[in-house]
């Protein structure tokens, strides 16, 4: 399990660092068959996902991961499910938003790509 947690940590560090600095560079992590559900709205395909992420209504963002959990997602393939919770600081706001995000990562050579991505802000 340590390997899975290490992969999940490396992936999320890279994903959120890239998201926070240049969302348009996230396209390489998705494929044509990838799916994103953003606040309940389904989006399919790498190009459409990047279009959604780059059109979000803020210019500056910082993710602060609070929890990170990972599990294998298939017995025959080295895929994994990654669950993340944290805080989202948007445009230097003093009131961070709580978020949760789930990724299903599929092996692709010596790396992984995002097959499923589910994002939600947590209110309350």
């Amino acid at each position: 399990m340590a390997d899975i947690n290490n992969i999940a940590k490396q992936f999320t560090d890279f994903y959120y660092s890239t998201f926070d600095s240049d969302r348009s560079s996230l396209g390489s992590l998705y494929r044509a068959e990838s799916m994103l559900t953003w606040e309940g709205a389904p989006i399919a395909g790498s190009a459409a996902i990047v279009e959604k992420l780059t059109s979000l209504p803020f210019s500056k963002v910082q993710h602060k991961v609070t929890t990170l959990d990972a599990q294998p997602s298939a017995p025959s393939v080295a895929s994994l499910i990654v669950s993340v919770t944290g805080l989202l600081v948007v445009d230097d706001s003093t009131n961070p938003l709580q978020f949760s995000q789930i990724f299903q990562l599929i092996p692709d050579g010596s790396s992984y790509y995002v097959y499923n991505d589910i994002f939600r802000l947590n209110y309350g």
Side-chain angles (χ1 to χ4, degrees):
M1 288 299 253
D3 239 4
I4 287 174
N5 291 324
N6 188 37
I7 291 166
K9 173 87 168 87
Q10 287 178 18
F11 168 78
T12 54
D13 285 351
F14 179 78
Y15 181 90
Y16 292 123
S17 171
T18 304
F19 191 109
D20 295 352
S21 62
D22 181 11
R23 287 174 264 167
S24 65
S25 296
L26 290 171
S28 65
L29 296 177
Y30 296 93
R31 300 292 180 269
E33 65 274 12
S34 295
M35 294 168 274
L36 166 67
T37 301
W38 185 272
E39 291 291 304
I43 301 149
S46 179
I49 291 169
V50 170
E51 183 179 330
K52 172 63 179 176
L53 297 178
T54 56
S55 70
L56 294 171
F58 47 79
S59 58
K60 189 174 178 186
V61 62
Q62 181 184 14
H63 290 81
K64 296 180 179 181
V65 172
T66 306
T67 67
L68 174 65
D69 298 297
Q71 294 182 355
S73 62
S76 59
V77 180
S79 58
L80 57 148
I81 299 283
V82 179
S83 174
V84 180
T85 63
L87 300 174
L88 194 62
V89 179
V90 176
D91 292 329
D92 294 322
S93 170
T94 56
N95 298 314
L97 304 167
Q98 295 183 43
F99 78 93
S100 62
Q101 192 161 14
I102 309 245
F103 300 98
Q104 182 178 24
L105 304 180
I106 305 295
D108 184 22
S110 63
S111 188
Y112 287 83
Y113 73 91
V114 178
Y115 182 65
N116 299 99
D117 181 352
I118 302 170
F119 178 90
R120 278 279 183 184
L121 291 172
N122 302 323
Y123 300 102

